[in-house]
Amino acid sequence: SEFFRDWLNGKTNDGTHERYEHVANLFLGHIAGQADRPMDKVTYRQVLDFMQLRRASGAAPKTIKVDVKSLNNAFNLARKLDHIKTNPVEQALALQPIDAESSTKGVFTPAQISDLVGTAQGDWRTVVLLGYYTAARLRDCTNLRVGQIDWVQGIITVQQRKTKKPAWVPIHPCLARHLQKVVKGRSPDDYVCPSLANRKTGGKTGLSREFAGIMHEAGIDQGLVAGKGKRRFSTLSFHSLRHSFNSHLANLGVDQETRRIMTGHGTVSANDDYTHLELPKLRGAVGLLPDVFTDPELAPA
């Protein structure tokens, strides 16, 4: 338990800390009275029993896989610090690999995205546009700063919390018109969406729940279906804007590598050669996306 506290203290990202803390509490609760024993007393059998306990609770295979991956991270650190000689999580996975198939996210139609933009108010309208036109994840959109918008090059640099790598996306004309109005007079360090910045996505008062409310108000069904575990799964959520960006560009004939660069899945470095050689191609690809803004003042001339 002492090691897990130290391990968690090293997680400065709020989302990561929250997820790892949940898993740590589950595992410490599982081994109960043994939580104060030395790390090398944990056995692979206890890890296997933990995996079985999670299955019995109705957790989806992907959820269990993420839980065990988090535990593996902790025990690998314990091995590096010489608290243990062997990692019991690795041993458990060698005996029982976890085969997890993700539930499939849906894709918004351009008309649905227009409805979302027309329904959303204030910073949420900006976030919806950012989600669709940059494929950025929810917290990357809400924590975007004005200085990440390069009006000279016409690109937005998305600092991805999940991968720790930046992604570069040309600014679509529709998004540009909106952002120019929103960020006018602000300093580079200001948040583009200050009322939503630094908020958590999960929970009853989280950003994801608020977006679900916007969907409902816009008349868009979340598409709740049975997931891989006991929970129901929404086929449409904010992350579907990311899928929509990728899917719509694919249907418009944009090649996979170009899409990978902009969604942050690629390995392209941020250097002058990249900017000069690739930007025109990326800008042309993003420009194929439809204009989803219904505000007459911001409609294309």
Side-chain angles (χ1 to χ4, degrees):
S1 59
E2 182 181 350
F3 170 80
F4 274 106
R5 282 196 298 270
D6 291 341
W7 175 62
L8 289 170
N9 285 336
K11 306 303 175 186
T12 56
N13 181 283
D14 290 341
T16 301
H17 187 281
E18 184 179 2
R19 183 175 72 251
Y20 282 11
E21 184 177 39
H22 175 67
V23 175
N25 289 337
L26 285 174
F27 187 72
L28 290 173
H30 167 62
I31 60 176
Q34 302 180 59
D36 290 330
R37 300 179 67 192
M39 290 286 291
D40 61 5
K41 299 301 182 184
V42 177
T43 68
Y44 73 86
R45 178 57 60 185
Q46 288 175 312
V47 178
L48 289 173
D49 290 344
F50 174 73
M51 291 160 57
Q52 181 56 39
L53 183 70
R54 297 295 286 135
R55 294 188 192 97
S57 73
K62 184 178 180 182
T63 300
I64 299 172
K65 188 170 185 176
V66 171
D67 289 349
V68 175
K69 182 179 179 181
S70 300
L71 276 184
N72 196 45
N73 179 300
F75 279 94
N76 271 335
L77 176 60
R79 181 166 53 190
K80 290 178 181 178
L81 296 175
D82 206 29
H83 294 318
I84 58 176
K85 298 300 181 184
T86 58
N87 182 342
V89 182
E90 285 184 355
Q91 293 174 319
L93 289 173
L95 285 169
Q96 291 186 19
I98 301 173
D99 185 17
E101 180 181 344
S102 299
S103 299
T104 304
K105 275 292 181 186
V107 173
F108 290 111
T109 66
Q112 286 177 320
I113 296 172
S114 290
D115 289 340
L116 286 171
V117 172
T119 302
Q121 300 294 318
D123 286 345
W124 266 114
R125 177 172 289 180
T126 304
V127 167
V128 171
L129 288 167
L130 284 169
Y132 179 52
Y133 285 123
T134 71
R137 297 173 179 86
L138 180 51
R139 291 197 71 197
D140 294 337
C141 289
T142 57
N143 289 286
L144 184 76
R145 294 183 188 270
V146 174
Q148 292 172 241
I149 306 171
D150 184 343
W151 293 111
V152 176
Q153 291 288 339
I155 61 173
I156 292 176
T157 301
V158 178
Q159 299 294 345
Q160 301 182 101
R161 287 172 174 249
K162 181 176 181 179
T163 65
K164 309 297 184 185
K165 297 178 180 178
W168 302 273
V169 188
I171 309 174
H172 188 279
C174 174
L175 179 60
R177 292 192 303 273
H178 178 73
L179 288 179
Q180 284 168 351
K181 181 178 179 181
V182 167
V183 305
K184 186 177 181 180
R186 298 194 195 178
S187 68
D189 290 334
D190 288 341
Y191 288 110
V192 174
C193 303
S195 68
L196 302 177
N198 296 314
R199 286 183 51 191
K200 294 183 179 180
T201 56
K204 294 182 179 180
T205 60
L207 294 168
S208 295
R209 182 67 64 90
E210 281 192 23
F211 181 75
I214 294 171
M215 286 178 55
H216 178 74
E217 190 177 346
I220 300 173
D221 187 356
Q222 288 180 263
L224 289 173
V225 297
K228 305 297 181 180
K230 65 180 180 181
R231 295 181 181 179
R232 299 183 75 191
F233 173 78
S234 299
T235 56
L236 287 176
S237 67
F238 189 88
H239 202 71
S240 297
L241 290 170
R242 180 174 171 84
H243 286 265
S244 301
F245 173 94
N246 194 41
S247 180
H248 292 177
L249 287 181
N251 291 336
L252 289 166
V254 176
D255 63 273
Q256 185 180 42
E257 182 58 26
T258 299
R259 289 182 279 123
R260 281 172 60 87
I261 291 171
M262 292 186 289
T263 55
H265 289 146
T267 57
V268 179
S269 299
N271 55 46
D272 291 339
D273 288 340
Y274 162 73
T275 302
H276 292 131
L277 295 176
E278 298 293 338
L279 187 55
K281 182 179 180 181
L282 300 183
R283 187 178 289 118
V286 169
L288 294 173
L289 291 172
D291 193 303
V292 298
F293 220 120
T294 55
D295 187 337
E297 293 183 8
L298 295 171

